[in-house]
Amino acid sequence: MSGIVGILHYDGRPIERTLLDRMLAQMIHRGPDGQGLWIAGPIGLGHARLCTTPESLHEQLPLVDRTGRLALTLDGRVDNREELHRELEAKGHILRDDTDAELVLAAYECWGDTAPLHLVGDFAFAIWDERRRRLFCARDHIGIRPFYYYADDRRFLFASELAPLLIHPAVPCEPNEGMIGEFLADDILSQEETLYRGIVRLPPAHWLSVQPNRLQTFRYWDIDLLHEIRYVTDDAYAEHFGSVLGEAVRARLRSNGPIGAELSGGLDSSSVVGLIQSLHREGTVQGQGFETFSLIFPGRPCDERSYIQDVVQLWDLKSNLVDEYRAAPNDLLRQIRQQRDFPDHPNETMAMDLYRLVREKGIRVVLTGMGGDDWLGEGFAPYADLLRTGQIGTFLRSLTCEGSARHVLANFKETLGLLLPRVRQAYGRVFKRDGVPAWIDKEFAKRIYLADRLRSAPLPSRFQSYAQRSLYEFVRSGEQSICYEMAERATSRLGLDARHPFNDRRVVEFALAIPQDQRQRGPITKFVLRRTMGDRLPESVRQRSTKADFSHTDAELLLTPWAGAMLNFLETTTIGTLGWIDSIEVQRMYHDLRQRYRQDNQAYRAYCSPLWMIVGMELWLTEAQSNREALEMAPDHIRAASGKNQSLTLA
């Protein structure tokens, strides 16, 4: 985790160093080990450095090639270093050093636009190519590292966060009502738009070429719908997956200091910890210190301490147990003030004390189990595949393992929705206002064409299974992009480099190519992972069929007096004044949430996310109003709705 910024003037005007400095200073938390600038006439690049690998200790960024015609700024880590080194040597390229930056710059020299496809790891970078007079930018396949930009007819700006862009005087700080609508609908589809009009993100797995009056984006990586991995035995799948996941973990243990790992007691994080310990004991990697960090929830059903302790005892680990953190309004406002973005979801803020402890112990690198659920986990699609293939008995057994009758019925309805999409769409048009949630104001939804925004883009017509289709949609979902960016923000604020082995491109490609029954066999989820891990997991974890639910973090934040006052008196809030939501419907939802949570009725969970989106949006707008100077830039209908005492210009 580092930070990058840059400015390109199309008209040849020289870069103002003080402005680039100010932009970089907005991300000081990303660069505690120093900052660097490179300016050459109309192009300027900046880098905020966090050293987390041995090679990064002598890495100088921005980096210029031998000819002086290429300049790179990079937030990232290369995980296929040995393979990439061999490929570059075969091309006759002689590396000047062993830094990741040198590898990325050499890859661009060798392969140009296809360079990102040769890289495995988490990255966002920009390369100024003097010969072609263009800026080439790219982002990793999942979007672990963020990349935001703004372009007009005179300039192009980019940064790892929104705040550096928003202090540039040329950037109009206007709210983007279309994206606000997606947030409030709790259905984020756009991978490019942000809450600010004109500021966009480079989507995951894309590169961007910038030249005067010409911006071109291209998807360089995609799911190969025809690629299949097929073996005769389960053991063969497990052996293959073990080598892929083991290499993903090994590559992420490259560190210049001690390493931490999140250990929840779930299958994914426990597997990462088990593989780390296996590699240490085999002597494959040299340890500089290793500790696990776990959230605990005393007295709650989601407390996973027994599973955590089983893993700790199996590997004789140094373990740290940390109570959940409960965010207060000032915590959330500080987040918005620093990063100018939507506040973290309560599921992210509950780990803040854990991350602080990691940092206090001098650890900068922390491995997680993030991504395991995404590529190997649960969902409704496997049920639809069972019905499609006539496995009625297996379908019923799998469905009834899901717990309560209410939960079973909900899963059955979602499964039928996948099998009968046209029926589902017709139902939505008739009974659900064309897919627009009831809590969204009708006129607002009409003005921003919200119904159209909430319709997924057309997909390829042929999929091998509903599960494959579901994974394909996930890769392209805006919700996926936002979730990974929020997770990255939560750790970056404390100068931590979070690494996620399950999101390694090689792991993802393997998971997408195996048969569905290796991901889920009957009621057994993550079948191939359980078989791969074997005795490297305690049997209690390997056979575990339950999954902790942390919805109480949402509910209890929403039931605090300050959130309750906001939701019960929406007409007095900024968001209520603007007419974006139906206050009466929101108050009904809040009443139901409160009543059901107190009755321990799990149906309360359906209200948590949409109500949090409303609260989070109000906090974002409240903090955004702290500077009124740019009110005149706001769209007319927003200025009129906000009244003379309410500025909606986000500066």
Side-chain angles (χ1 to χ4, degrees), residues 7-15 39-44 128 130 133:
I7 304 174
L8 171 62
H9 288 155
Y10 299 150
D11 59 6
R13 286 181 300 111
I15 299 299
I39 296 174
I43 177 70
W128 173 248
E130 175 65 28
R133 301 295 296 174

Side-chain angles (χ1 to χ4, degrees), residues 218 390 485 507 518:
F218 181 80
E485 287 176 10
V507 173
Q518 289 295 319

Side-chain angles (χ1 to χ4, degrees), residues 239-272:
E239 181 180 357
H240 188 169
F241 186 54
S243 66
V244 174
L245 183 59
E247 174 56 24
V249 172
R250 185 196 68 81
R252 285 163 175 77
L253 293 176
R254 184 167 55 102
S255 173
N256 61 332
I259 287 178
E262 293 182 10
L263 175 60
S264 69
L267 189 61
D268 304 327
S269 65
S270 300
S271 295
V272 170

Side-chain angles (χ1 to χ4, degrees), residues 258-326:
I259 287 178
E262 293 182 10
L263 175 60
S264 69
L267 189 61
D268 304 327
S269 65
S270 300
S271 295
V272 170
V273 169
L275 287 168
I276 291 172
Q277 290 300 93
S278 296
L279 290 167
H280 281 159
R281 292 189 179 183
E282 293 166 2
T284 305
V285 296
Q286 299 300 314
Q288 299 187 55
F290 175 64
E291 300 182 37
T292 62
F293 297 82
S294 306
L295 280 178
I296 56 172
F297 304 85
R300 293 189 180 277
C302 60
D303 189 78
E304 301 175 281
R305 211 172 328 184
S306 63
Y307 298 109
I308 293 167
Q309 290 171 345
D310 287 346
V311 177
V312 169
Q313 289 173 7
L314 176 65
W315 293 107
D316 190 24
L317 298 167
K318 187 173 183 180
S319 171
N320 300 272
L321 303 179
V322 184
D323 287 324
E324 65 174 309
Y325 179 78
R326 299 182 181 181

Side-chain angles (χ1 to χ4, degrees), residues 193-494:
E193 294 183 53
T194 71
L195 292 174
Y196 298 91
R197 185 178 303 192
I199 299 179
V200 297
R201 58 172 51 83
L202 181 62
H206 280 69
W207 58 250
L208 167 68
S209 175
V210 183
Q211 293 174 299
N213 301 315
R214 185 176 181 222
L215 269 64
Q216 178 188 5
T217 58
F218 181 80
R219 176 178 284 276
Y220 67 81
W221 177 86
D222 204 354
I223 294 176
D224 185 349
L225 299 176
L226 301 178
H227 178 53
E228 294 183 345
I229 295 175
R230 296 293 182 267
Y231 294 114
V232 175
T233 66
D234 291 334
D235 286 342
Y237 286 106
E239 181 180 357
H240 188 169
F241 186 54
S243 66
V244 174
L245 183 59
E247 174 56 24
V249 172
R250 185 196 68 81
R252 285 163 175 77
L253 293 176
R254 184 167 55 102
S255 173
N256 61 332
I259 287 178
E262 293 182 10
L263 175 60
S264 69
L267 189 61
D268 304 327
S269 65
S270 300
S271 295
V272 170
V273 169
L275 287 168
I276 291 172
Q277 290 300 93
S278 296
L279 290 167
H280 281 159
R281 292 189 179 183
E282 293 166 2
T284 305
V285 296
Q286 299 300 314
Q288 299 187 55
F290 175 64
E291 300 182 37
T292 62
F293 297 82
S294 306
L295 280 178
I296 56 172
F297 304 85
R300 293 189 180 277
C302 60
D303 189 78
E304 301 175 281
R305 211 172 328 184
S306 63
Y307 298 109
I308 293 167
Q309 290 171 345
D310 287 346
V311 177
V312 169
Q313 289 173 7
L314 176 65
W315 293 107
D316 190 24
L317 298 167
K318 187 173 183 180
S319 171
N320 300 272
L321 303 179
V322 184
D323 287 324
E324 65 174 309
Y325 179 78
R326 299 182 181 181
N330 285 340
D331 296 318
L332 301 171
L333 290 172
R334 274 194 296 270
Q335 288 178 19
I336 301 169
R337 197 173 300 126
Q338 181 184 51
Q339 296 178 308
R340 307 294 295 275
D341 211 341
F342 196 83
D344 291 350
H345 195 279
N347 274 0
E348 290 293 341
T349 58
M350 72 180 184
M352 290 315 297
D353 276 349
L354 184 149
Y355 293 143
R356 290 188 186 103
L357 179 60
V358 173
R359 210 55 197 92
E360 288 169 8
K361 285 177 168 277
I363 295 172
R364 291 186 170 194
V365 173
V366 58
L367 272 66
T368 82
M370 182 181 289
D373 285 341
D374 299 333
W375 312 115
L376 297 170
E378 299 80 4
F380 306 111
Y383 300 127
D385 284 322
L386 290 174
L387 283 179
R388 180 181 59 85
T389 56
Q391 301 178 62
I392 307 299
T394 304
F395 166 75
L396 293 174
R397 286 194 300 274
S398 301
L399 200 64
T400 52
C401 285
E402 290 294 325
S404 68
R406 182 188 297 274
H407 198 177
V408 170
L409 179 60
N411 284 356
F412 184 68
K413 288 171 62 178
E414 291 289 342
T415 301
L416 288 182
L418 288 172
L419 289 167
L420 305 169
R422 292 182 180 176
V423 173
R424 185 177 189 173
Q425 290 167 6
Y427 176 85
R429 283 194 295 270
V430 175
F431 296 104
K432 293 189 175 181
R433 304 195 314 170
D434 206 12
V436 175
W439 60 86
I440 302 293
D441 177 77
K442 291 181 181 180
E443 290 303 314
F444 172 64
K446 182 178 179 181
R447 184 172 74 240
I448 65 172
Y449 302 98
L450 186 56
D452 293 335
R453 294 182 69 99
L454 298 181
R455 292 192 186 99
S456 299
L459 298 174
S461 57
R462 295 182 65 85
F463 289 93
Q464 297 177 40
S465 65
Y466 286 105
Q468 187 185 62
R469 177 191 176 100
S470 177
L471 289 169
Y472 189 88
E473 289 178 316
F474 175 76
V475 168
R476 284 165 170 70
S477 75
E479 181 180 2
Q480 173 256 342
S481 296
I482 296 292
C483 285
Y484 281 125
E485 287 176 10
M486 284 188 173
E488 195 271 350
R489 283 200 330 240
T491 52
S492 73
R493 279 194 295 271
L494 291 171

Side-chain angles (χ1 to χ4, degrees), residues 154-213:
R154 300 183 64 187
R155 62 186 64 80
F156 176 87
L157 318 171
F158 70 87
S160 298
E161 295 181 3
L162 295 170
L165 300 178
L166 289 165
I167 68 165
H168 194 288
V171 178
C173 301
E174 299 177 8
N176 176 6
E177 281 197 314
M179 195 61 170
I180 288 170
E182 291 189 23
F183 270 78
L184 292 176
D186 193 26
D187 192 4
I188 301 170
L189 273 70
S190 174
Q191 282 194 314
E192 296 185 59
E193 294 183 53
T194 71
L195 292 174
Y196 298 91
R197 185 178 303 192
I199 299 179
V200 297
R201 58 172 51 83
L202 181 62
H206 280 69
W207 58 250
L208 167 68
S209 175
V210 183
Q211 293 174 299
N213 301 315

